[in-house]
Amino acid sequence: MSRLLGSTALVATLMIASVPHAMAQTASDTAQPVAVAAGDLRTALDQVADQFGLQLVVQGDLSGLESGNLSADMSAREALQDLLSGSGYAFEFVSDDSVIIRPVSASMSDAEGTVILPEVVVTATRSRRSIATMSPSVVVIGSDQIEAQSAKSSDITNVIRNNVPGFMFDDQSLISSTETFRGRDVQVLVDGVARNTPLRNSSRILSMIDIQQVESIEVIPGSNAMNGDGATGATINIITKTGEVGKNVFVVDAHAKSYTDDIGESFSPSLTVSGSGGFGAVDLAASVTGSKTGNAYDGYGNQVPSDAMLGQGGFDNAEDLNVFGKAGVTLAEGHRVFLSSEVVRFRQDIEYYSDLSTDPVSVNYDSPYTGQPLEDESQYFTAGYEYDFGKIGTGDLKLFYNDSYKQAARSIYDANHNNQELLLPGSTTELDPLGQSVIDTVKYGVKLSTDTDLDVVYDGLTLTWGGDLTFDDVKYESVSGRDLGAPMDQEGKAVFAQLSAPVTKYVDLSGGVRYEKYDLTVDDFLRPNYTYMQGALTVPAAQFTGGETTYDAVTYNASAVVHWTERFDTSLSYSEGFSVPDVGAYTRRAGVRGVPLNFSDIDVDASKVKTYELAARFDGTDFRTTGAVYMSTNERGNNFDSSTNTLSQEKERIIGAELTGEYDISEDTYIGALASYVEGRYDTDEDGDLDDWLPNNRIPSPFRFTGYVDSYVWGDLNMRFDGTYTAARNKIEDEKIKPSLVFNLSGNYPVLGGTARFGIENILDSSYENPAGTALRGYSVAGHGRTVLIGYRREF
């Protein structure tokens, strides 16, 4: 019966999406007064659409494009023509009140056949650099792409994965440990401020960011130290929305999602109320999102465990509240102050423990959950000053304060995967009912970035310079307040300088250096008493002696981008990044299996990663493609082996290749693909030879391929069909990761003045093994079954 209900829901969703708009308003071609101020092109288009009662469907990304001033009597067609002139975009009325705006095709190019492309600016490099001067592997995901692709999922990692090769399949839980990029760690920034928690990484980062507050996403593959430690695989910068004076918008966005195997028990509603705009010199933006989720199911119709990954939890049976706000005041031209904040409240009420003895791991209905709920209570604040001091330069000064409390779920004993349990103080037999872990971190600091024009030295030469001061306070405790790992605090200081310049119109060069110094203090603490193998061995409490150490690193980067033609670019780049070992996880095991009880005896060091990349980009009339090959190396890794409680820092080398491509079949339809290959080896016996393959938790799958078709059908119904294949990995003996293949469908349709959307993930309700989840814990974790999402968004 559940399969029948699933198929019925699938057919019903497609039928609802294809219903024509029966209550459409009529757009007028009659001239009327139009007054639009010069500024953001998308804002101007929305103002014209509101005035003439039009529905806009945008193909492509208008981020960064500007429009001129309009002040005259004109028709809707005349207004759109004037606004889009020279932008590289054109419009087409597909009905009386519906307009598609899309990039120009060959027939819409100028007399010389030149296609005018929008300039997209990237800020994650600490400077405002045009993407045309950067490696072709750099990707900027705009608001239109985010809105269209969030039709099937509100998880921000899915949007990134659908647009950027090299980002690994997610484990469908809250944890981001398996969200590796090119086999290495990802640094996540929000408006240029790091969300990573050093020393004891909580791993819940991207999963806690509300996609409704996101304006665009910048992804810079490769190692990078310009924003501090952590970016050994990539930097992801989330740009939040900013209000615009003169464009006051109120938005209601609601959707409901269910697994077709049990629609009632899995019903998951979500509601977002947001607004943006401004008055005078003040700009404002805010959003509130609340959601509630039910059960999750796999492709066989079995309920997925709420905590399949031992303490990391999941999205099911949860309540989530995200409140975001940003306010800015323009003091004078080129000078603006702002304050932004985000508050996250997440709670998962787990009903049953997981049974790790089954294949795949399943819900243990005979073992009701007895721990505290999994929780996330975090708040983030940023205050900034954007300035333009003429010859000194333009830039910004940011002060930030991040406070996060991340409580894990409780996990019960398992002989192979969870054989260590916390005892009550002084006891050798009784378990601590409040023994589940909490990572409580505070991070605050100052970031300064300035672009100074050095045209007097060389035409187009720009110096980007600045520095950072940061402070981290990390506590790793039980719910009852006992220290599980050593309390730590860390002070960081950094300065950097970056030069970039065009060398003739064919070559852009860039290079820079950053010096970083961290002073780490590890406190004394009483490592609590544990039991192993259900009482077979009791480890009494022991005193751990802390200490101090200093990490410092000088990192360099250099790149050359060659513009062979107006359509074909190549780049050669070298970059360095580094990461600090997870000291907190190590001190938790102090005194067990040979782990020292004195910090001075722990030999840990920062891991510096060097990345070499060759990339190319071609933007043809109907065909677009990018490709990259790379190698990343480091002399000291950060592999932690939980079975032996050892931190290994051996030599590593990772190689890989990435490819993207899109082809316009017609003005209404295009096809595309993303492919990535990655594999790596390391020196297990530290003799200088790379003698073994990196573990699966670093590289769950060596190859990933995503293909998609995007088309406008029946007028302005936009539909996207995609499929993702992840290859098996057989490099680690007795730890094979199985391949997977999943198909999805999504659509958007303008109706009743807003946009209706639907999404179907895992259309075939396939049963598959989640490669990332399986790689993390070493036992089989099932992927999620078919889900249907129906939503509606309306701007007022």
Side-chain angles (χ1 to χ4, degrees):
M1 177 62 71
S2 64
R3 293 285 175 171
L4 179 59
L5 287 174
S7 300
T8 303
L10 174 60
V11 174
T13 302
L14 293 172
M15 292 178 62
I16 291 170
S18 65
V19 174
H21 185 183
M23 302 180 63
Q25 298 177 348
T26 302
S28 174
D29 281 329
T30 304
Q32 57 178 285
V34 176
V36 177
D40 180 72
L41 175 60
R42 182 58 192 265
T43 301
L45 290 170
D46 288 340
Q47 290 176 353
V48 169
D50 290 342
Q51 183 166 341
F52 287 94
L54 302 176
Q55 297 290 322
L56 296 184
V57 179
V58 179
Q59 289 181 290
D61 188 9
L62 301 180
S63 301
L65 289 177
E66 301 290 323
S67 69
N69 178 69
L70 290 184
S71 181
D73 290 348
M74 57 180 62
S75 67
R77 294 179 185 274
E78 292 170 335
L80 292 172
Q81 182 65 46
D82 284 0
L83 289 176
L84 294 173
S85 178
S87 68
Y89 283 76
F91 70 92
E92 177 188 358
F93 275 84
V94 294
S95 67
D96 288 339
D97 67 343
S98 297
V99 180
I100 291 180
I101 296 174
R102 58 168 65 92
V104 293
S105 61
S107 61
M108 300 175 185
S109 304
D110 62 21
E112 298 180 358
T114 301
V115 177
I116 303 172
L117 297 175
E119 180 182 38
V120 179
V121 175
V122 179
T123 61
T125 58
R126 304 295 293 269
S127 63
R128 292 183 57 82
R129 292 182 59 189
S130 169
I131 195 172
T133 67
M134 304 178 68
S135 167
S137 63
V138 175
V139 177
V140 176
I141 308 170
S143 57
D144 295 314
Q145 294 167 287
I146 294 171
E147 183 176 341
Q149 294 185 29
S150 61
K152 63 181 180 181
S153 173
S154 57
D155 186 354
I156 197 171
T157 57
N158 279 329
V159 175
I160 299 173
R161 191 168 294 104
N162 288 337
N163 288 274
V164 187
F167 196 40
M168 183 45 59
F169 194 96
D170 78 291
D171 58 22
Q172 299 172 328
S173 76
L174 300 178
I175 192 172
S176 58
S177 294
T178 57
E179 290 173 355
T180 58
F181 203 108
R182 296 182 172 181
R184 298 191 183 274
D185 292 335
V186 176
Q187 182 187 53
V188 178
L189 314 173
V190 176
D191 292 329
V193 175
R195 285 286 174 91
N196 300 67
T197 52
L199 306 177
R200 188 65 188 104
N201 199 347
S202 65
S203 298
R204 291 186 218 152
I205 306 174
L206 287 172
S207 61
M208 291 291 105
I209 298 176
D210 179 18
I211 198 170
Q212 298 289 345
Q213 72 189 41
V214 179
E215 178 66 28
S216 62
I217 304 170
E218 303 170 349
V219 182
I220 302 179
S223 53
N224 189 310
M226 294 304 286
N227 290 284
D229 71 297
T232 55
T235 302
I236 298 176
N237 188 26
I238 310 294
I239 307 297
T240 60
K241 295 179 179 179
T242 300
E244 300 177 26
V245 176
K247 182 188 177 183
N248 297 318
V249 178
F250 178 74
V251 180
V252 176
D253 191 307
H255 73 258
K257 182 177 182 179
S258 287
Y259 289 80
T260 58
D261 284 297
D262 194 328
I263 294 175
E265 289 296 322
S266 65
F267 183 73
S268 304
S270 177
L271 175 65
T272 298
V273 177
S274 63
S276 64
F279 56 89
V282 179
D283 58 83
L284 301 168
S287 68
V288 178
T289 297
S291 63
K292 183 178 177 63
T293 58
N295 293 338
Y297 296 88
D298 64 19
Y300 283 126
N302 299 316
Q303 184 178 345
V304 174
S306 295
D307 184 28
M309 248 93 64
L310 289 177
Q312 303 306 326
F315 293 103
D316 63 297
N317 295 294
E319 297 178 352
D320 187 15
L321 176 66
N322 187 290
V323 181
F324 163 77
K326 182 189 289 186
V329 179
T330 300
L331 306 176
E333 184 176 356
H335 296 269
R336 174 178 175 267
V337 295
F338 67 90
L339 175 66
S340 68
S341 65
E342 180 185 358
V343 177
V344 177
R345 294 292 183 267
F346 181 91
R347 174 187 172 116
Q348 183 189 25
D349 289 303
I350 298 171
E351 296 182 271
Y352 301 98
Y353 287 107
S354 301
D355 186 349
L356 304 185
S357 65
T358 60
D359 185 9
V361 56
S362 61
V363 178
N364 189 347
Y365 294 103
D366 295 327
S367 181
Y369 183 75
T370 57
Q372 299 296 307
L374 180 145
E375 292 184 341
D376 194 304
E377 297 183 1
S378 302
Q379 38 274 329
Y380 308 94
F381 303 95
T382 302
Y385 170 44
E386 299 168 350
Y387 53 82
D388 183 351
F389 287 121
K391 293 183 178 180
I392 296 177
T394 61
D396 59 68
L397 177 68
K398 295 175 181 175
L399 292 80
F400 65 90
Y401 179 87
N402 299 344
D403 185 355
S404 64
Y405 176 94
K406 299 180 182 293
Q407 179 172 300
R410 184 182 183 187
S411 300
I412 59 175
Y413 170 80
D414 180 84
N416 297 316
H417 303 285
N418 191 39
N419 55 18
Q420 173 182 310
E421 296 175 283
L422 187 68
L423 296 169
L424 284 172
S427 174
T428 59
T429 58
E430 192 171 357
L431 300 180
D432 188 343
L434 299 177
Q436 63 202 80
S437 64
V438 173
I439 300 176
D440 192 354
T441 66
V442 172
K443 182 183 182 76
Y444 56 88
V446 181
K447 295 169 68 77
L448 173 67
S449 304
T450 304
D451 290 328
T452 302
D453 291 333
L454 298 179
D455 290 334
V456 294
V457 178
Y458 184 85
D459 188 27
L461 180 64
T462 300
L463 172 66
T464 302
W465 55 273
D468 302 332
L469 295 174
T470 59
F471 181 84
D472 294 279
D473 185 1
V474 180
K475 293 182 175 63
Y476 185 30
E477 305 172 318
S478 68
V479 173
S480 58
R482 299 166 65 189
D483 286 329
L484 300 179
M488 295 170 286
D489 60 76
Q490 180 173 270
E491 296 181 12
K493 308 175 185 67
V495 292
F496 69 90
Q498 185 88 11
L499 284 170
S500 57
V503 180
T504 75
K505 66 177 182 179
Y506 299 106
V507 179
D508 286 295
L509 298 179
S510 179
V513 60
R514 177 182 173 100
Y515 174 71
E516 191 107 23
K517 180 182 179 182
Y518 286 126
D519 294 315
L520 171 65
T521 300
V522 180
D523 295 344
D524 299 343
F525 85 108
L526 182 66
R527 198 264 296 127
N529 47 322
Y530 293 94
T531 178
Y532 276 90
M533 304 301 292
Q534 285 195 315
L537 173 64
T538 299
V539 179
Q543 185 65 42
F544 177 86
T545 302
E548 298 180 352
T549 191
T550 297
Y551 301 103
D552 64 340
V554 179
T555 54
Y556 303 90
N557 69 85
S559 68
V561 180
V562 181
H563 310 287
W564 299 95
T565 69
E566 292 181 344
R567 298 181 182 274
F568 181 59
D569 302 329
T570 60
S571 73
L572 180 64
S573 61
Y574 169 80
S575 60
E576 296 179 347
F578 70 98
S579 62
V580 176
D582 192 342
V583 178
Y586 199 62
T587 61
R588 176 179 183 173
R589 297 164 174 85
V592 180
R593 297 186 184 178
V595 179
L597 278 166
N598 193 314
F599 179 72
S600 62
D601 295 329
I602 299 177
D603 180 23
V604 294
D605 198 2
S607 175
K608 180 186 286 189
V609 176
K610 302 176 181 180
T611 301
Y612 309 83
E613 181 193 81
L614 175 64
R617 170 176 46 221
F618 176 75
D619 286 306
T621 302
D622 300 314
F623 178 65
R624 300 165 296 280
T625 184
T626 64
V629 293
Y630 62 87
M631 179 177 69
S632 63
T633 65
N634 54 285
E635 295 299 322
R636 294 178 66 86
N638 281 334
N639 292 308
F640 185 82
D641 186 345
S642 59
S643 64
T644 59
N645 290 305
T646 57
L647 175 67
S648 57
Q649 294 198 280
E650 305 95 345
K651 180 180 179 181
E652 299 176 350
R653 182 181 66 206
I654 295 177
I655 60 173
E658 298 164 356
L659 182 67
T660 71
E662 283 187 347
Y663 176 69
D664 296 328
I665 297 176
S666 67
E667 291 184 352
D668 298 320
T669 304
Y670 64 92
I671 60 174
L674 299 86
S676 63
Y677 169 81
V678 59
E679 195 53 271
R681 296 180 66 83
Y682 71 128
D683 177 17
T684 58
D685 53 12
E686 300 187 35
D687 64 352
D689 295 326
L690 302 173
D691 58 286
D692 205 354
W693 301 99
L694 283 173
N696 287 336
N697 62 356
R698 292 283 299 280
I699 303 177
S701 172
F703 177 73
R704 180 172 70 92
F705 176 85
T706 298
Y708 55 89
V709 180
D710 195 295
S711 180
Y712 280 85
V713 297
W714 302 319
D716 42 12
L717 170 61
N718 176 233
M719 297 185 68
R720 180 186 177 100
F721 174 80
D722 65 77
T724 297
Y725 169 76
T726 57
R729 190 166 193 250
N730 306 308
K731 300 298 185 182
I732 310 301
E733 187 176 356
D734 298 326
E735 295 183 18
K736 177 181 178 180
I737 304 296
K738 299 176 183 177
S740 64
L741 177 62
V742 179
F743 295 100
N744 311 292
L745 180 69
S746 61
N748 294 273
Y749 185 74
V751 60
L752 298 176
T755 302
R757 66 183 187 272
F758 72 91
I760 307 167
E761 292 187 286
N762 194 358
I763 297 173
L764 303 179
D765 208 10
S766 302
S767 176
Y768 66 97
E769 184 178 79
N770 183 294
T774 301
L776 179 65
R777 293 305 189 195
Y779 49 75
S780 179
V781 177
H784 287 197
R786 180 171 55 218
T787 64
V788 175
L789 181 149
I790 300 177
Y792 183 74
R793 174 186 176 89
R794 175 70 188 270
E795 292 187 4
F796 300 91

